[in-house]
């Protein structure tokens, strides 16, 4: 089917997954209200199933997007492999989040059916954030996602850490959104449009059309994005927000929210400002360098595994920034592949953290992991897979992701970044493998309580671990898919009659 | 006229940034963030005079988003006050800031 943005109806077709998810969100909101009535009983499981059906329906609609053809590649909503790929990623992360959050609600005896509504709305926000070519829609997607996730962070109103994390996340998130917005205003002033394709045309392939406003706006956009993806030195909210939020929400924030911010980051800079690569490539270079070195060093002394994984997620943002610095089809493909592996292993690792920490999340320390492998083999084995993948040991997805990023950046001549990436990965082996060492080679202390794993959570653990290994054993197929998405993204500027970067 | 408006918008935005950096009361921080958003609105209005309707439309969206953010933000601040009985961010150090 050919899409023509002049027709209002066609907007519904291109936004099919978003429309499906929004309808489900509203329906679930009503179902929750009517189910609850005056009783104090917890939210019913049917809401979680309804949410799962909504996510699967959106995934089906997303598959159908592949049959659409874009008549005018400068339209406000992208129809390309990049959008389809990232949409699958967000839907998958939301699906993995469901059993974890259900377990959390049961453990804490909370009856917050609205959590599932917020989850769906946040996912819609991510899809708009990462899948549109119009800065206005990108901003609205960003805010829809952020506002929903602020509430999810503060979900446990009785927990002081959760409230504190929500406040810190909210204040710095809103602060960074303002920078982002000012950046949009300046770019709009400098180019006369908020459409990325038009901006690219005005700026030109060599950046000749860029004036002071465009350059300043682009810098502010970079600051806003750097906050959202938690690149050093804009990372100060991350460890606190990730440590204080309920662990399932942390998993979702670290995996999906960060993935959305990164996907939008790539789309804006690679399709809007490829002509100014000379300027922003340098910014990305230093951001990547600082993030990789700083985060890996700060992760070393952490005793809380949850906080260590928060720093590790910052470190991974550094590796992804290297892929962005490469700014080539290979780089974007490596980025997508790594994002896939990263989402799976992060969701899995935080799920294990929640299983160990259990009710009220008191057992976060490293010593709680002593002998875990022998006490709860399923948790131990899957956590080992996640840790090996996070560290980048073959044959896991994390290894091939780093390999693809290295290939892309070396091809662009960024040897310095490649060397730093390898060295910091070696440093990271210490803090990842230390957890594995505790799990398998330390005696459990006498009073260690059992780890009760529900069926839903086991399914999440097994599915993510299997997927991490699968994409590690067959990297070529997944990389091929990522390359198709990457080529579609990088092609857009060329279609408007100008050569790509 | 455009230059003056943009400079004013930049000054207001900077006042907001400085406020967020210096002040320690969560509500004041939030007000400073709102000031930043409104500074951006001013820039959009000034630019829309020259460029076209998109800027005006953007302002409406920003106002709506700011209202949604205010609702969520104030709710978070209320829940913080219930638990800590203060909104001074220096007191929130269960997690290292």
């Amino acid at each position: 089917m050919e899409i023509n943005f002049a027709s209002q109806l066609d907007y519904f077709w291109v936004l099919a997954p978003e429309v499906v998810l929004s309808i489900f969100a509203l329906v679930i909101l009503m179902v929750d209200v009517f189910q609850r009535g005056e009783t104090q009983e917890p939210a019913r499981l049917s809401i979680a199933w309804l949410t799962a059906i909504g996510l699967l329906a959106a995934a089906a609609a997303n598959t159908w997007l592949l049959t659409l053809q874009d008549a005018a590649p400068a339209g406000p909503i992208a129809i390309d492999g990049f959008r389809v790929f990232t949409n699958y990623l967000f839907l998958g992360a939301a699906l993995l989040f469901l059993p974890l959050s259900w377990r959390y609600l049961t453990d804490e005896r909370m009856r917050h059916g609205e959590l599932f509504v917020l989850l769906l709305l946040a996912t819609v926000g991510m899809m708009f954030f990462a899948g549109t070519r119009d800065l206005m829609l990108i901003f609205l997607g960003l805010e829809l996602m952020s506002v929903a996730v602020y509430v999810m962070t503060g979900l446990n109103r009785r927990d002081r850490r959760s409230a504190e994390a929500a406040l810190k996340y909210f204040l710095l998130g809103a602060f960074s959104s303002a920078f982002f917005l000012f950046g949009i205003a300046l770019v709009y002033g400098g180019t006369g449009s908020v459409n990325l394709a038009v901006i690219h045309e005005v700026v030109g392939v060599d950046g000749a059309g860029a004036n002071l406003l465009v350059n300043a706006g682009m810098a502010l956009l970079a600051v806003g994005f750097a906050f959202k993806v938690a690149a050093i030195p804009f990372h100060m909210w991350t460890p606190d927000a990730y440590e204080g939020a309920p662990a399932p929400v942390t998993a979702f924030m670290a995996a999906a929210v960060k993935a959305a911010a990164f996907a939008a980051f790539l789309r804006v800079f690679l399709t809007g400002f490829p002509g100014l690569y000379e300027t922003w490539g340098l910014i990305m270079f230093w951001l990547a360098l600082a993030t990789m070195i700083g985060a890996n060093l700060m992760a070393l002394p952490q005793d809380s595994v949850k906080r260590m994984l928060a720093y590790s997620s910052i470190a991974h943002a550094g590796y992804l920034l290297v892929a962005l610095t490469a700014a080539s089809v290979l780089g974007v493909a490596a980025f997508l592949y790594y994002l896939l592996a990263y989402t799976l292993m992060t969701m899995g690792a935080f799920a294990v953290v929640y299983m160990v920490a259990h009710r009220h999340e008191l057992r976060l320390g490293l010593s709680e992991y002593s002998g875990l492998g022998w006490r709860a083999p399923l948790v131990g084995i899957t956590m080992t897979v996640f840790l090996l993948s996070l560290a980048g040991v073959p044959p896991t997805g994390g290894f091939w992701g780093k390999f693809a990023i290295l290939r892309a950046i070396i091809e662009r001549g960024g040897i310095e970044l490649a060397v730093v990436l390898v060295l910091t990965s070696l440093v990271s082996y210490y803090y990842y493998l230390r957890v594995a060492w505790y799990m398998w080679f330390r005696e459990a202390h006498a009073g260690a309580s059992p780890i009760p794993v529900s069926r839903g959570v086991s399914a999440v653990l097994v599915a993510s671990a299997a997927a991490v290994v699968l994409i590690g054993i067959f990297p070529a197929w997944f990389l091929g898919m990522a390359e198709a998405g990457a080529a579609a993204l990088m092609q857009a500027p060329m279609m408007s009659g100008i050569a790509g970067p | 006229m455009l230059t003056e408006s943009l400079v004013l918008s930049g000054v207001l935005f900077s006042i907001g940034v400085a406020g967020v950096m210096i002040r320690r009361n969560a509500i004041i921080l939030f007000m400073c963030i709102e000031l930043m958003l409104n500074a951006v609105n001013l820039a959009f209005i000034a630019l829309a005079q020259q460029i076209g309707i998109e800027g005006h439309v953007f302002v409406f969206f920003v106002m709506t988003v700011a209202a949604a953010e205010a609702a969520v933000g104030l709710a978070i601040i209320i829940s913080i006050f219930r638990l800590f009985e203060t909104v001074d961010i220096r007191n929130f150090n269960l997690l290292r800031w």
Side-chain angles (χ1 to χ4, degrees), chain B residues 9-54:
Chain B
S9 152
V11 168
L12 285 175
F13 191 85
S14 311
I15 293 175
V17 174
V20 173
M21 300 284 187
I22 296 166
R23 300 302 297 265
R24 285 293 164 256
N25 181 311
I27 302 232
I28 307 265
L29 287 191
F30 187 47
M31 282 164 61
C32 292
I33 291 171
E34 290 288 311
L35 182 63
M36 290 163 73
L37 291 180
N38 283 319
V40 178
N41 276 348
L42 182 62
F44 269 122
I45 292 289
L47 290 166
Q49 293 283 331
Q50 314 252 318
I51 299 170
I53 194 77
E54 276 165 325

Side-chain angles (χ1 to χ4, degrees), chain A residues 136 140 143 147 157 160 163-164 167-168 170-171 174-175 178 181-182 184-185 188-189 192 194 240 243 307, chain B residues 9 13 29-30 33 36 40 44 47 51-52 55 61-62 65 69 72-73 80 83-84 92-97:
Chain A
M136 196 184 294
L140 289 176
E143 286 301 314
V147 169
R157 288 195 310 248
R160 292 167 75 120
E164 187 179 327
L167 181 73
K168 289 176 177 175
F170 167 72
L171 285 176
F175 186 56
L181 192 59
F182 202 37
I184 295 178
Y188 169 66
V194 286
D240 290 342
E243 194 189 0
R307 201 172 173 87
Chain B
S9 152
F13 191 85
L29 287 191
F30 187 47
I33 291 171
M36 290 163 73
V40 178
F44 269 122
L47 290 166
I51 299 170
F61 279 116
V62 173
V65 163
E69 241 176 23
V72 167
I80 270 275
L83 292 168
F84 291 81
F92 307 142
N93 43 22
L94 286 175
L95 314 161
R96 281 153 288 179
W97 179 250

Side-chain angles (χ1 to χ4, degrees), chain A residues 210-251:
Chain A
N211 48 25
L212 181 64
L213 280 182
V214 176
N215 275 306
M218 192 182 70
L220 284 169
L221 279 175
V223 170
F225 273 123
F227 261 110
K228 293 291 170 195
V229 303
I232 290 176
F234 304 103
H235 70 289
M236 23 336 177
W237 59 271
T238 322
D240 290 342
Y242 283 15
E243 194 189 0
V249 177
T250 310

Side-chain angles (χ1 to χ4, degrees), chain A residues 118-399:
Chain A
L118 290 169
L119 171 73
L120 290 188
L121 290 177
T123 313
V124 174
M126 287 169 195
M127 289 175 159
F128 271 106
F129 192 22
T132 51
R133 294 204 198 97
D134 189 295
L135 287 173
M136 196 184 294
L137 288 170
I138 290 177
F139 174 71
L140 289 176
L142 163 70
E143 286 301 314
L144 180 56
M145 170 186 89
S146 302
V147 169
V149 178
Y150 299 148
V151 183
M152 284 163 79
T153 311
L155 186 75
N156 193 342
R157 288 195 310 248
R158 285 166 304 202
D159 185 357
R160 292 167 75 120
R161 286 171 304 172
S162 179
E164 187 179 327
L167 181 73
K168 289 176 177 175
Y169 187 35
F170 167 72
L171 285 176
L172 285 170
F175 186 56
S176 64
S177 295
F179 277 99
F180 189 81
L181 192 59
F182 202 37
I184 295 178
L186 294 185
V187 170
Y188 169 66
T191 62
S193 175
V194 286
N195 186 303
L196 290 177
V198 179
I199 290 173
H200 173 64
E201 229 152 311
V202 173
V203 171
V205 242
D206 49 357
N211 48 25
L212 181 64
L213 280 182
V214 176
N215 275 306
M218 192 182 70
L220 284 169
L221 279 175
V223 170
F225 273 123
F227 261 110
K228 293 291 170 195
V229 303
I232 290 176
F234 304 103
H235 70 289
M236 23 336 177
W237 59 271
T238 322
D240 290 342
Y242 283 15
E243 194 189 0
V249 177
T250 310
F252 189 64
M253 280 159 76
V257 174
K258 186 172 282 195
F262 255 116
F265 202 168
L266 247 78
R267 189 183 287 283
V268 170
F269 277 80
L270 290 182
T271 66
F273 306 109
L276 295 172
Y277 178 73
E278 297 289 316
T279 317
W280 62 258
L282 201 63
I283 304 178
M284 297 312 150
F285 177 87
W286 288 108
L287 274 181
L289 206 66
T291 310
M292 284 192 290
I293 296 176
N296 279 302
L297 291 182
M298 282 188 273
L300 285 179
Q302 300 303 329
D303 182 57
S304 156
V305 175
K306 200 176 178 190
R307 201 172 173 87
M308 181 275 277
L309 283 175
Y311 279 109
S312 122
S313 93
I314 304 177
H316 286 276
Y319 308 145
L320 287 165
L321 278 170
V322 175
L324 173 54
T325 314
S328 58
V329 173
L330 266 186
V332 179
F335 164 85
L336 284 178
Y337 180 86
Y338 198 80
L339 211 55
L340 176 65
Y342 168 79
T343 305
L344 291 165
M345 60 206 186
T346 310
M347 288 299 294
F350 277 110
V352 172
V353 166
Y354 180 60
M355 281 299 98
V356 175
H358 200 45
R359 264 193 91 195
H360 304 323
E361 293 191 39
L362 298 173
R363 299 198 287 265
L364 294 172
L366 191 55
S367 60
E368 304 290 346
Y369 288 73
S370 309
L372 183 74
W374 307 108
R375 279 192 288 150
L378 177 75
V379 178
I381 291 170
T382 49
M383 182 63 166
T384 311
V385 171
F386 300 137
L387 287 170
L388 290 179
S389 179
L390 283 166
V393 176
T396 55
F399 169 76

